[in-house]
Amino acid sequence: MNVSGAVWLLTVIGIVGLLLFDYFFHVRRTHIPSLGEAARWTAVYIGIAVAFGFGVLILGGGTAGAEYFAGYVTEKALSVDNLFVFLLLLGSFKVPRADQQKVLLFGITFSLIVRTGFIFLGAALINSFAWVFYLFGLILLITAGNLLREQHDDDRPPDNVIIRLARRVLRTSENYDGDKLVTTVDGRRMLTPMLLVMVAIGGTDILFALDSIPAIFGLTQNTYLVFTATAFSLLGLRQLYFLIDGLLDRLVYLSYGLAAILALIGIKLILHALHENNVPFINNGEHVDAAEISTGLSLSLIIGILLVTVLFSLLSPRGRAQTYTRAARRHANEYLDVETDPAYCDEIYHRLLEEEAHINGLPAKYRARTYAEKELTDLLRRAHELHERRVAAGTCFRPEPASTGVS
């Protein structure tokens, strides 16, 4: 599939235009997107991506279309897993809910710039050195193993060298000043924590790109398809974050599904590397007659793995127990530490009560295991005590009575 310079230019202009539209029409006014707003714009961005894919299918042929859709679905799935990390990161920095979308949009823009650079670097390496396929395949297999070892259940916020360096170098004020990056404290101009959050999001994006770019090159080596599938998977991610906020807690087995997908693509890359082999110490630099995994089969397996992962997350008792526990912990932390807006505090508290009701509806084994976690029960007790104080002060409403399981 050959793409002219004019098509490249029009594509880049279109993607930049969508980003600017987001900046000037969505996040300039600080607000918490409603579920309806998030759903509408998520549908718009997914619709644009799918329509573009059908355009590739019609104009570029069946192989190009299948490669685009395989890349898009894989990158979108990886992006959803990244959203969970962003959720923990925004919580650890105590970013008010209304300001989160601007941080996310900055992260998406930064990620798109970084990944574009990685895409062209990867394309140049692949065109020059066939052994790069071995390297990319090994990276994906290692990443798959790391995903299997990861434990999201303890809800520890992300901590990497970039975040630690940013905390040490950037001296910021104690409190946010809306979404401003600079504020004035006691007559002195200071950086706000918002800048620190943006650096942390951007640095984490770089680490994500090290996994996602080899993954999509395992599905297609066409630079245009790699770029567009990556770009469209990122566009609309901000709206998706607010749409599936609660659903993120339910996808407790997503990491296992992604590990299987990355392992599949890693094997596909290594098989392709064997087929194209010119490494002297492997078969004397001659190609190895190895079977290759077709793009159609890859797309089918990726979609199948994701469906099984989502269904198992939603239906298994253990998955539901982890879902409700994680959600209750997050809502309690939000209520205690993050939000000061009374209306949103009420909303968070009602969500907390709903999650506690879900926990109480679990089978006895999982319910007992959940309430045996002292850290969780202490957290829930503190949230209820704070709510009682807010009700007494008249800043919150008393909800309908509900059994919480916390004494």
Side-chain angles (χ1 to χ4, degrees), residues 109-386:
T109 304
F110 184 82
S111 180
L112 185 56
I113 293 170
V114 169
R115 293 183 194 211
T116 299
F118 281 177
I119 286 167
F120 285 103
L121 175 61
L125 289 172
I126 285 172
N127 290 331
S128 302
F129 309 104
W131 55 262
V132 171
F133 287 112
Y134 288 114
L135 178 61
F136 281 2
L138 184 61
I139 288 173
L140 293 182
L141 291 175
I142 292 172
T143 303
N146 289 336
L147 280 173
L148 290 176
R149 288 198 301 270
E150 276 185 2
Q151 294 295 323
H152 285 326
D153 300 339
D154 56 7
D155 288 345
R156 288 176 296 182
D159 185 30
N160 55 56
V161 63
I162 298 173
I163 295 176
R164 291 195 296 271
L165 183 63
R167 286 184 186 274
R168 187 176 300 120
V169 173
L170 298 176
R171 300 297 179 182
T172 64
S173 61
E174 291 293 325
N175 301 311
Y176 290 91
D177 186 3
D179 57 8
K180 295 178 182 178
L181 301 181
V182 180
T183 188
T184 302
V185 179
D186 297 331
R188 293 190 306 153
R189 291 178 65 80
M190 295 185 67
L191 300 173
T192 70
M194 185 64 70
L195 180 63
L196 185 59
V197 177
M198 289 185 172
V199 171
I201 289 281
T204 306
D205 272 331
I206 294 175
L207 300 180
F208 288 154
L210 296 177
D211 300 334
S212 69
I213 297 306
I216 194 169
F217 269 115
L219 297 167
T220 176
Q221 284 83 59
N222 185 294
T223 308
Y224 181 76
L225 295 180
V226 171
F227 171 74
T228 51
T230 301
F232 284 121
S233 72
L234 292 172
L235 292 173
L237 199 59
R238 176 184 63 81
Q239 292 87 345
L240 187 64
Y241 172 87
F242 289 95
L243 177 62
I244 67 171
D245 184 2
L247 185 60
L248 283 174
D249 290 315
R250 296 180 181 271
L251 301 179
V252 291
Y253 295 116
L254 180 61
S255 290
Y256 295 98
L258 290 177
I261 290 171
L262 292 180
L264 168 69
I265 300 173
I267 293 170
K268 176 179 167 68
L269 272 169
I270 291 174
L271 290 174
H272 182 73
L274 290 170
H275 189 76
E276 301 289 330
N277 180 61
N278 60 7
V279 178
F281 56 82
I282 298 178
N283 200 33
N284 296 319
E286 299 294 328
H287 94 279
V288 179
D289 191 17
E292 292 204 63
I293 302 172
S294 68
T295 303
L297 179 59
S298 299
L299 178 57
S300 300
L301 289 173
I302 289 167
I303 293 174
I305 290 169
L306 288 175
L307 286 175
V308 170
T309 299
V310 171
L311 289 174
F312 197 68
S313 294
L314 296 178
L315 300 178
S316 74
R318 182 177 171 223
R320 286 189 291 119
Q322 291 183 22
T323 292
Y324 302 145
T325 303
R326 179 184 296 163
R329 181 183 289 113
R330 183 163 62 85
H331 292 323
N333 275 318
E334 273 192 286
Y335 189 79
L336 288 167
D337 298 329
V338 179
E339 293 297 336
T340 56
D341 178 69
Y344 192 64
C345 279
D346 277 339
E347 181 182 336
I348 287 296
Y349 189 73
H350 279 78
R351 290 186 190 178
L352 176 60
L353 293 182
E354 289 174 3
E355 299 305 335
E356 290 181 293
H358 287 148
I359 292 172
N360 291 331
L362 289 169
K365 177 176 70 172
Y366 295 102
R367 185 171 64 249
R369 186 179 300 169
T370 298
Y371 285 125
E373 296 182 27
K374 187 175 185 304
E375 180 269 336
L376 175 64
T377 54
D378 287 346
L379 188 66
L380 295 177
R381 184 177 294 107
R382 286 169 49 212
H384 292 306
E385 290 172 352
L386 176 60

